[in-house]
Amino acid sequence: MFGPLVLAYSAAQLLLGSPVVAVENGLARTPPLGWNSWNWFACDISEETILSAARAIVSTGLKDAGYEYVIIDDCWHAPARDPITKEPLANPVTFPSGIKSVADKVHDLGLKFGIYSDAGSETCARRFGSLGYEQIDAKTYASWGVDYLKYDNCNNEGFSGNESISSWRFSQMAKALNETGRPIVYAMCNWGEDHSWTWAGKLANSWRMSGDISDMFTGYSKDCPCTSLLNCTTFGHHCSATRIIDWTAYMVNYAGPGGWNDLDMLEVGNGNMTNDEYVTHFSMWALLKSPLILGNYLTKMTPDILDIITNDAIIAVNQDPLGASIKRSWKRLLEEGDVQMWTGPLADGSTVVALMNTSPDPQTATISFKDIPSKSPNPETTTFRAFDLWQRSSELTRSGTRWGLDIGLFQGQISDITLKRHQTKVFMLVPQVRTTLRIQEDAE
Ligand code: GLA
């Protein structure tokens, strides 16, 4: 059944070599923000699951905080495509009104709508995939009003193993989406296979670069084996948040406007981490410029979880127009875990700094300004005003954003910052001259 398709693909691959299909869709100039059904619901989804999440995005204020894509993951499918037209069909029991009707209702709420498919014969949950059906699927998604496609990598019939063949397979959907003329964010999900972060930017608006996340803060699972670029062929699943963060250190330079490292959907609120751990998870995803795609049960969310995912200062860093990921400045290894400092520039010339404690004990750390990538001629002698982005304050706004608590002026360093077990603190350092300008701008 699959034979002719395999032959056709092999022939095309020989003819085409390694094509470059630039995504060039003008989308995702900042990382997409939204919600996806998989992490909490897996295959247990229906129209009501999706629409109640969409309504909760509006009623809880998540929409106002910037979350806009409502994405149905795997398992929306009918048992088979339309036997005559080969168009994809929705499961008539769980999605009786059809996908277009769900998309319309999501749009009516002022939100955008996303769907899932797979660059293989079947999805990871063994529903029909899009390999060989890219054009008809893209066309159908466009007619349904799809704004975002998550495109997975299971059951790829062996069309992987090197950049050329994987990028060719994923480029088929890139091309098909572009041909529809509808703006559709293309989120590649091949888990980093064939070092996709080095080439996916030519095709897609984001690319998964790790095995599947689990709702756990730390720990090594043999199912998530990659620790270095050299030993990594299988990406797996059951990856803890800190393992994904460490892994991302290899690929921070590839993130930028229009194309982002996707660290996987958030687990914040799913119950297996402490609030400090979820703060670390959310902060690092945001500063590493991952799409922030929530994966929790929105209608049952507690206020402290809502508080974490609506921290407007952290979201503003994620959405900063410069689009530069933080990079690791140092890592202090401890008997168990470590303390790490990461820094990155923001469009207005200020610097964001994250101090992360993955150890089970409280730690102290110092931010030395010599380690920060400031545009100031000499960060060591510049005075910076520092804001703590996890201490909320209504003072000092820039473009309507609350930037956390002003903790004062510093030169050379901020010393002896205390970090609780598994806590991350995030600071914004503003060269003093800019602070003056900003206060003036805000007063006008
Ligand atoms: C893969 C993806 C997950 C999810 C499942 C669905 O494992 O990486 O994010 O989409 O498939 O089956």
Side-chain angles (χ1 to χ4, degrees):
M1 165 77 192
F2 208 71
L5 181 64
V6 170
L7 285 177
Y9 266 58
S10 304
Q13 215 258 327
L14 283 176
L15 283 175
L16 292 173
S18 179
V20 174
V21 181
V23 63
E24 282 170 10
N25 60 10
L27 302 173
R29 305 313 294 171
T30 58
L33 304 182
W35 176 87
N36 171 301
S37 52
W38 184 256
N39 279 359
W40 181 264
F41 292 100
C43 279
D44 190 13
I45 53 170
S46 67
E47 282 178 27
E48 190 41 35
T49 323
I50 306 304
L51 292 174
S52 59
R55 288 190 293 267
I57 290 177
V58 177
S59 65
T60 56
L62 285 167
K63 181 182 173 207
D64 294 337
Y67 294 91
E68 64 175 341
Y69 291 97
V70 177
I71 304 156
I72 310 184
D73 207 281
D74 208 345
C75 303
W76 55 267
H77 313 67
R81 296 172 171 277
D82 183 296
I84 296 164
T85 65
K86 303 294 177 201
E87 282 170 6
L89 296 174
N91 185 315
V93 177
T94 48
F95 289 87
S97 323
I99 301 294
K100 181 168 184 335
S101 150
V102 177
D104 287 347
K105 289 179 182 137
V106 168
H107 289 148
D108 288 347
L109 292 165
L111 299 167
K112 293 189 171 144
F113 176 74
I115 205 163
Y116 163 101
S117 190
D118 187 289
S121 54
E122 289 181 335
T123 70
C124 297
R126 298 250 164 228
R127 275 46 176 194
F128 56 80
S130 290
L131 187 64
Y133 295 92
E134 292 87 353
Q135 275 178 325
I136 193 161
D137 285 2
K139 229 168 119 192
T140 309
Y141 300 153
S143 76
W144 287 345
V146 165
D147 307 297
Y148 179 113
L149 174 68
K150 170 175 171 179
Y151 202 46
D152 214 337
N153 190 41
C154 281
N155 305 305
N156 59 43
E157 306 293 332
F159 288 104
S160 64
N162 62 52
E163 169 185 338
S164 162
I165 193 155
S166 277
S167 73
W168 181 80
R169 184 163 44 88
F170 280 92
S171 74
Q172 298 310 295
M173 184 53 91
K175 230 169 14 189
L177 291 174
N178 282 353
E179 278 165 14
T180 67
R182 184 175 172 86
I184 299 177
V185 170
Y186 184 34
M188 249 181 71
C189 176
N190 86 331
W191 324 305
E193 219 175 71
D194 301 324
H195 292 184
S196 54
W197 57 88
T198 62
W199 49 265
K202 292 182 287 193
L203 307 177
N205 297 111
S206 65
W207 46 90
R208 281 274 305 281
M209 30 52 71
S210 76
D212 285 8
I213 192 171
S214 271
D215 185 13
M216 54 185 197
F217 183 69
T218 190
Y220 176 82
S221 159
K222 64 176 174 13
D223 295 329
C224 176
C226 296
T227 51
S228 103
L229 294 181
L230 296 175
N231 72 7
C232 190
T233 46
T234 308
F235 291 82
H237 52 97
H238 217 54
C239 299
S240 67
T242 53
R243 290 205 13 95
I244 295 178
I245 294 165
D246 277 334
W247 179 239
T248 312
Y250 291 111
M251 55 213 67
V252 287
N253 288 334
Y254 293 98
W260 309 100
N261 289 311
D262 179 351
L263 277 63
D264 205 352
M265 296 155 315
L266 293 157
E267 293 284 6
V268 181
N270 284 339
N272 205 37
M273 296 192 216
T274 65
N275 274 10
D276 283 332
E277 291 168 347
Y278 282 139
V279 163
T280 293
H281 172 24
F282 188 69
S283 302
M284 295 305 285
W285 259 235
L287 273 56
L288 288 160
K289 302 291 152 93
S290 174
L292 297 178
I293 307 296
L294 304 167
N296 58 321
Y297 193 178
L298 294 180
T299 52
K300 295 257 155 86
M301 176 169 51
T302 57
D304 47 344
I305 293 301
L306 181 63
D307 199 49
I308 294 172
I309 60 182
T310 53
N311 181 326
D312 48 5
I314 298 291
I315 292 174
V317 174
N318 179 259
Q319 297 292 299
D320 182 72
L322 187 64
S325 168
I326 49 167
K327 297 178 182 170
R328 188 155 55 199
S329 307
W330 51 258
K331 172 165 163 171
R332 187 171 85 216
L333 280 174
L334 301 161
E335 214 169 293
E336 230 185 300
D338 51 45
V339 178
Q340 305 188 17
M341 183 169 112
W342 295 69
T343 63
L346 298 177
D348 69 354
S350 49
T351 298
V352 66
V353 181
L355 280 179
M356 173 172 78
N357 175 19
T358 75
S359 85
D361 303 309
Q363 302 292 336
T364 57
T366 292
I367 299 172
S368 285
F369 295 164
K370 68 174 168 32
D371 293 331
I372 70 171
S374 169
K375 280 194 190 136
S376 309
N378 187 349
E380 282 176 83
T381 55
T382 304
T383 300
F384 289 93
R385 185 172 289 282
F387 296 84
D388 178 338
L389 271 48
W390 281 105
Q391 290 199 55
R392 309 304 178 82
S393 160
S394 53
E395 287 168 33
L396 196 67
T397 65
R398 182 184 64 173
S399 326
T401 299
R402 283 185 294 277
W403 280 105
L405 190 68
D406 179 351
I407 57 166
L409 296 170
F410 295 86
Q411 231 186 22
Q413 62 181 25
I414 309 177
S415 50
D416 297 329
I417 297 163
T418 55
L419 299 164
K420 288 186 283 168
R421 160 199 172 88
H422 296 174
Q423 188 186 21
T424 290
K425 287 189 174 172
V426 181
F427 301 92
M428 185 171 68
L429 304 179
V430 187
Q432 200 188 9
V433 58
R434 293 199 152 261
T435 310
T436 314
L437 284 176
R438 241 181 45 199
I439 290 169
Q440 278 169 0
E441 276 168 19
D442 286 345
E444 278 164 13

